[in-house]
């Protein structure tokens, strides 16, 4: 597989920040609302669970054909408002809103990326997920990814709206009860998607 490494992805309001174990404490607070798990199952992770998970993710996939890419969603305006000084070691402290991730691997004639996203309850309803995933999708296409896949609970309208907005379309396939959404290079954008922005 071609070497792919994460980098900061900038969007209009956001910076997608490559995962670091140091984000665990702030992210435990972002992910603490039990309502976030209504469609995915599970419970809010502790700081220690996130440190362990993030350490595994930063180390990378044990499969040399697969690349794990993970970013925290940082909100620029909030970062500037909360920054203590211009020399702050962590300019986005206090402004993390969630995460996006992609698992990239080979798929016949190119690379496929399975993508996922979560925005903390306190920052939902502001277009943050759509903007973050749009930035992720743009970056993945720049890396040569030809197929994007997301798995979304059939009742999760907000995540379905994000997938549609970035050009994915639902398929007739299910995986663990979730609908498989897909975009493939050359495919016409889903109705309602902004083709020039994905």
């Amino acid at each position: 597989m071609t070497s792919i490494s994460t980098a900061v992805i900038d969007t209009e309001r956001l910076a997608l920040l490559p995962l670091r174990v140091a984000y665990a404490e702030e992210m435990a607070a972002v992910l603490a609302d039990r309502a976030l798990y209504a469609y995915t199952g599970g419970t809010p992770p502790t700081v220690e669970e996130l440190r362990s998970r993030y350490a595994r993710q930063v180390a990378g996939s044990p499969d040399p054909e697969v690349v794990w890419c993970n970013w925290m969603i940082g909100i620029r305006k909030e970062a500037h408002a909360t920054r203590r000084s211009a020399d702050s070691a962590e300019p986005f402290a206090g402004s993390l809103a969630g995460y996006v991730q992609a698992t990239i691997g080979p798929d016949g004639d190119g690379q496929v990326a399975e993508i996922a996203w979560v925005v903390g309850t306190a920052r939902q309803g502001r277009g943050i997920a759509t903007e973050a995933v749009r930035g992720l999708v743009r970056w993945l296409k720049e890396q040569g990814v030809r197929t994007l896949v997301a798995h979304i609970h059939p009742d999760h309208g907000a995540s379905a709206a994000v997938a549609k907005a970035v050009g994915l379309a639902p398929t007739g396939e299910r995986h663990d009860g979730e609908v498989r959404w897909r975009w493939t290079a050359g495919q016409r954008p889903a109705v309602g998607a902004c083709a020039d922005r994905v």
Side-chain angles (χ1 to χ4, degrees), residues 39-40 114-117 133 149-166 168-171 173-182:
Y39 298 108
T40 61
E114 292 206 18
I115 62 174
W117 55 89
V133 177
V149 174
H151 297 97
I152 300 172
H153 189 282
D155 297 330
H156 200 323
S159 279
V162 170
K164 183 176 179 180
V166 301
L168 278 72
T171 68
E173 302 169 52
R174 298 264 178 146
H175 179 76
D176 291 335
E178 295 182 319
V179 176
R180 184 179 299 238
W181 288 65
R182 179 183 299 270

Side-chain angles (χ1 to χ4, degrees), residues 21-54:
V21 175
Y23 293 136
E25 188 169 343
E26 185 172 347
M27 285 302 296
V30 171
L31 302 174
D33 187 349
R34 292 186 180 280
L36 283 176
Y37 307 92
Y39 298 108
T40 61
T43 58
T46 65
V47 172
E48 283 308 313
E49 288 169 336
L50 283 180
R51 283 187 184 127
S52 177
R53 179 187 308 165
Y54 291 173

Side-chain angles (χ1 to χ4, degrees), residues 6 12 23 30 33 36 47 69 99 119-120 130 134 136 142 172 177:
T6 58
E12 185 178 338
Y23 293 136
V30 171
D33 187 349
L36 283 176
V47 172
C69 298
Y99 64 85
V119 171
T130 300
R134 192 170 277 141
L136 171 64
E142 290 168 358

Side-chain angles (χ1 to χ4, degrees), residues 4 9 67 69 71 101-104 111-116 133-149 183:
I4 296 176
I9 301 171
V67 177
C69 298
W71 294 264
Q101 58 189 41
T103 299
I104 305 168
Q111 295 176 337
V112 61
E114 292 206 18
I115 62 174
V133 177
R134 192 170 277 141
L136 171 64
V137 165
R138 182 189 73 236
W139 184 86
L140 289 166
K141 290 177 180 180
E142 290 168 358
Q143 306 312 305
V145 171
R146 299 184 46 81
T147 302
L148 301 171
V149 174
W183 169 87

